[in-house]
Amino acid sequence: MKKITKTKSITGAFLLTALLATPVCYSQKKTAAKPPKKTVTTEKVASTAPVLQSSVPFKLLDLAPSRPVPEELIKKLKEMGVNISSNTFKIPAAAEKNFMYDYFLLYGEKQESYLSNLNGTIEKIPADTRLITATKNNSKIFTDKCINQVEMSKCSNIRIIGPDGKKLNADLSRYYFALNMKQNLYNSEDHTYVIVYTESGGQNIITESGSTFFPSDLFSISFIVPGFIIYEEKQGDPQQLMQLNSRKKIDISKYDYVKGLEINRYLIGKKNDKYFLIDPTTDKVLFESDKRIQEVYYPSDVNPENYFALGNSGSQELVDINGKKVIEGQYARFGFYVSGNTFSVENLQGKGNYYDLAKKAFVYGDFYNSLSTEGPFNVAKYNGYIQICDNATEELLYGASKNVKELRFTANMYSIEKHGTAESAGKNLDIYDRESRTLLFENVSSLGYISGTESYYKVSKETNGENKYTIVNRKGKVVIPEIIVPDYIRYNSDKKVFELTKKNTAKAAATDCYDLTGTKINCQ
């Protein structure tokens, strides 16, 4: 028997989601083992130190490469009254802008906020304050509640509270923290860097110790890639690039402009209509191109590193970290999927396919008009036929020769209707169980519900002569292997029996009755 499994449903050439397993299907047969069957609230907790409302959102697991919160701590939080619900927690990685070392946030039902460390100590965050971040040495950077203005929200009275609950002596009164669209906070593995502003327009960076990074305020500062800043000392000065931890300067004066890549964390430089991919840690040019260098996105949380699209949207080619072509030819766009090994590719005609990096080959023999993932199947629709694959084993179940017409979902079963032939007239339906991944029936006539119930279904095994049926439950399990129905069958839920009649109506008197074991019984 063939085996299959479950995923989300999608339609359209590229309407795919972040949680969708990579739709891959090959024509060769494979043997697959059968798989097994198958917001946060808290009571008020006494604070050991003043703690404040955070600009850093609480985040969930399953967003690599972050470090999960230990299960022992989850258990402890539940015991302390935190409503974990179905959420699991993670500590973001240093490369993520919301990284807070060994802390994470909990949110209450009434917009209350709490801060927890990995030891399970929970501190309430007062509503009139804001937590900017927690630092490596367990200090916390706070401001007063932010005031919304036209261009940004200003958060004044910056102070750093040490792990002992005492305020550091550093005077930061001339600065304010700004909430706006660009990133203005970076925690490395060792240090915290926060961009701050003055009322006169100057900018600087403060660290976890409360000291300023630059001896005097600059005109502009911004994080370009994690661990690096780009800045102008005075308005109109050339931009300079610096690595934060080492304070090493990188010469970018040879480029017309430089921008950072969000996913790959490299730099793109442009000079005289040429583009350069630059490793900022070594200042090495990895490759150059006459075409624009872009990152490959989609879905955003599982983007690949070290792959790039050259060109503009609508006409691109895929290359690796050395600028070498991965796929020959020009394409409209590229996507990437969760398996870490497969790209989606849309050709210039708007049709799609998948490219397997390990096999260095397209998954499908042609570009499809549309793809849908229906439960256990990947369904690729071509101009002349529908191809169906097992999306767990990658086995081709139905290709051009099977001539599939339609796929339907009923209860816990999928039925695949094929175009009929003279030899198979009236017997063109294959039925699969979704959970057990099993082909239940092959070449049957129909699958339909039994009147009076949503729990039992009938599978027609004949079209001529006797109306022979198999009765199954909604999960595809056979209840009665074979039963002959004269005209009509209904289920009496009170008596728990199947009632057969010789008229095709629910009102006709039952002539034969069968119990759930398939035994014929008295209808009275």
Side-chain angles (χ1 to χ4, degrees):
M1 287 187 177
K2 296 184 174 80
K3 308 289 183 179
I4 46 189
T5 193
K6 171 185 178 183
T7 64
K8 282 192 174 182
S9 176
I10 54 171
T11 57
F14 275 81
L15 299 180
L16 297 159
T17 64
L19 297 180
L20 176 63
T22 306
V24 179
C25 160
Y26 302 99
S27 58
Q28 64 265 31
K29 299 290 182 181
K30 296 190 177 184
T31 302
K34 180 177 177 179
K37 293 186 177 180
K38 292 197 122 178
T39 179
V40 184
T41 58
T42 178
E43 297 297 326
K44 293 186 177 181
V45 182
S47 174
T48 57
V51 191
L52 323 174
Q53 180 160 346
S54 175
S55 61
V56 184
F58 169 70
K59 304 179 83 173
L60 303 181
L61 273 177
D62 302 325
L63 184 59
S66 297
R67 173 164 58 95
V69 174
E71 285 300 319
E72 310 81 62
L73 176 57
I74 301 297
K75 181 180 178 181
K76 184 175 180 181
L77 290 173
K78 288 180 179 179
E79 292 172 350
M80 297 174 70
V82 176
N83 180 12
I84 303 297
S85 300
S86 61
N87 294 330
T88 45
F89 305 125
K90 76 166 195 177
I91 300 294
E96 299 176 57
K97 75 175 186 178
N98 295 326
F99 175 60
M100 281 211 309
Y101 296 99
D102 292 336
Y103 289 85
F104 59 92
L105 289 168
L106 304 169
Y107 291 116
E109 295 176 350
K110 299 179 180 180
Q111 305 300 317
E112 296 172 320
S113 300
Y114 301 83
L115 186 70
S116 176
N117 62 20
L118 292 185
N119 295 322
T121 300
I122 301 178
E123 303 173 85
K124 189 176 186 305
I125 301 174
D128 58 348
T129 55
R130 177 173 288 276
L131 170 66
I132 303 302
T133 191
T135 71
K136 177 135 188 175
N137 66 351
N138 296 320
S139 294
K140 302 171 189 69
I141 302 178
F142 302 122
T143 71
D144 290 343
K145 188 174 181 179
C146 302
I147 300 173
N148 294 327
Q149 297 188 340
V150 176
E151 294 183 355
M152 64 180 69
S153 293
K154 294 174 62 174
C155 315
S156 303
N157 190 21
I158 300 172
R159 65 259 189 204
I160 301 176
I161 307 299
D164 57 359
K166 296 181 179 179
K167 180 181 175 181
L168 299 186
N169 290 328
D171 181 11
L172 302 173
S173 59
R174 62 193 301 261
Y175 296 108
Y176 64 86
F177 180 75
L179 290 179
N180 51 19
M181 296 303 294
K182 72 176 183 179
Q183 181 180 340
N184 46 23
L185 161 71
Y186 173 66
N187 282 326
S188 73
E189 291 289 358
D190 299 307
H191 298 289
T192 292
Y193 302 95
V194 181
I195 297 175
V196 292
Y197 302 78
T198 66
E199 293 294 343
S200 60
Q203 298 182 24
N204 213 318
I205 293 175
I206 60 170
T207 66
E208 68 278 2
S209 65
S211 60
T212 54
F213 189 82
F214 293 100
S216 58
D217 300 333
L218 309 184
F219 172 71
S220 70
I221 307 170
S222 60
F223 296 105
I224 186 167
V225 290
F228 291 81
I229 55 170
I230 192 164
Y231 64 94
E232 294 177 40
E233 292 188 7
K234 296 180 181 179
Q235 186 173 11
D237 284 354
Q239 288 188 320
Q240 300 186 61
L241 182 71
M242 179 184 288
Q243 186 176 31
L244 286 166
N245 284 357
S246 67
R247 294 182 178 253
K248 174 186 175 182
K249 290 186 178 182
I250 296 95
D251 180 21
I252 57 173
S253 62
K254 50 194 169 186
Y255 302 108
D256 296 332
Y257 78 82
V258 172
K259 73 172 186 176
L261 296 180
E262 181 180 351
I263 304 301
N264 289 275
R265 300 162 196 153
Y266 293 117
L267 302 176
I268 300 294
K270 184 181 179 184
K271 182 70 175 180
N272 297 331
D273 295 324
K274 277 192 174 291
Y275 297 87
F276 303 86
L277 183 69
I278 308 160
D279 183 346
T281 59
T282 62
D283 197 21
K284 178 182 176 182
V285 173
L286 302 176
F287 71 85
E288 64 181 70
S289 170
D290 293 329
K291 299 178 180 179
R292 183 182 174 193
I293 303 173
Q294 301 183 70
E295 296 196 89
V296 178
Y297 289 92
Y298 198 67
S300 61
D301 293 339
V302 289
N303 288 305
E305 294 184 0
N306 299 334
Y307 291 95
F308 306 88
L310 300 186
N312 297 314
S313 179
S315 180
Q316 300 180 344
E317 57 186 296
L318 186 68
V319 300
D320 63 16
I321 189 68
N322 300 309
K324 182 180 178 181
K325 279 189 179 182
V326 177
I327 307 173
E328 290 297 326
Q330 296 287 319
Y331 300 91
R333 61 174 173 170
F334 302 96
F336 189 75
Y337 291 94
V338 179
S339 72
N341 202 44
T342 306
F343 282 92
S344 66
V345 183
E346 183 179 331
N347 67 13
L348 300 179
Q349 290 72 44
K351 297 182 180 181
N353 205 333
Y354 294 95
Y355 188 86
D356 189 295
L357 290 170
K359 297 180 181 295
K360 297 182 179 179
F362 281 105
V363 169
Y364 294 107
D366 196 0
F367 279 71
Y368 52 79
N369 293 334
S370 67
L371 174 78
S372 64
T373 297
E374 304 291 344
F377 304 109
N378 291 323
V379 184
K381 295 184 179 180
Y382 295 83
N383 288 330
Y385 67 96
I386 298 174
Q387 177 174 295
I388 298 180
C389 309
D390 178 335
N391 59 24
T393 67
E394 302 175 353
E395 180 182 351
L396 176 67
L397 302 176
Y398 298 87
S401 62
K402 291 290 184 76
N403 207 11
V404 171
K405 180 180 180 181
E406 190 175 0
L407 182 146
R408 300 186 187 93
F409 177 55
T410 304
N412 206 54
M413 294 167 283
Y414 284 92
S415 59
I416 294 175
E417 182 181 357
K418 298 166 285 185
H419 289 281
T421 63
E423 296 77 18
S424 66
K427 298 180 183 178
N428 308 318
L429 208 64
D430 293 348
I431 300 172
Y432 285 80
D433 176 73
R434 186 162 103 176
E435 292 184 4
S436 68
R437 304 165 63 89
T438 303
L439 175 62
L440 300 174
F441 301 95
E442 190 171 17
N443 295 328
V444 296
S445 300
S446 66
L447 169 68
Y449 74 94
I450 296 175
S451 178
T453 178
E454 294 182 355
S455 301
Y456 298 102
Y457 295 79
K458 56 185 179 181
V459 178
S460 174
K461 303 175 75 173
E462 297 286 341
T463 57
N464 299 314
E466 295 179 315
N467 294 324
K468 194 179 294 182
Y469 290 91
T470 295
I471 308 302
V472 298
N473 65 17
R474 64 180 296 104
K475 292 191 175 183
K477 181 180 179 181
V478 173
V479 177
I480 302 177
E482 187 173 290
I483 189 173
I484 296 175
V485 179
D487 289 312
Y488 189 78
I489 182 172
R490 63 186 174 229
Y491 180 69
N492 189 321
S493 57
D494 294 330
K495 296 180 180 180
K496 292 183 172 52
V497 297
F498 297 99
E499 298 176 339
L500 283 58
T501 75
K502 290 185 178 179
K503 290 183 178 180
N504 191 18
T505 171
K507 295 180 180 180
T511 56
D512 296 303
C513 295
Y514 290 80
D515 64 17
L516 291 176
T517 67
T519 303
K520 189 173 182 179
I521 62 173
N522 193 316
C523 290
Q524 300 300 320

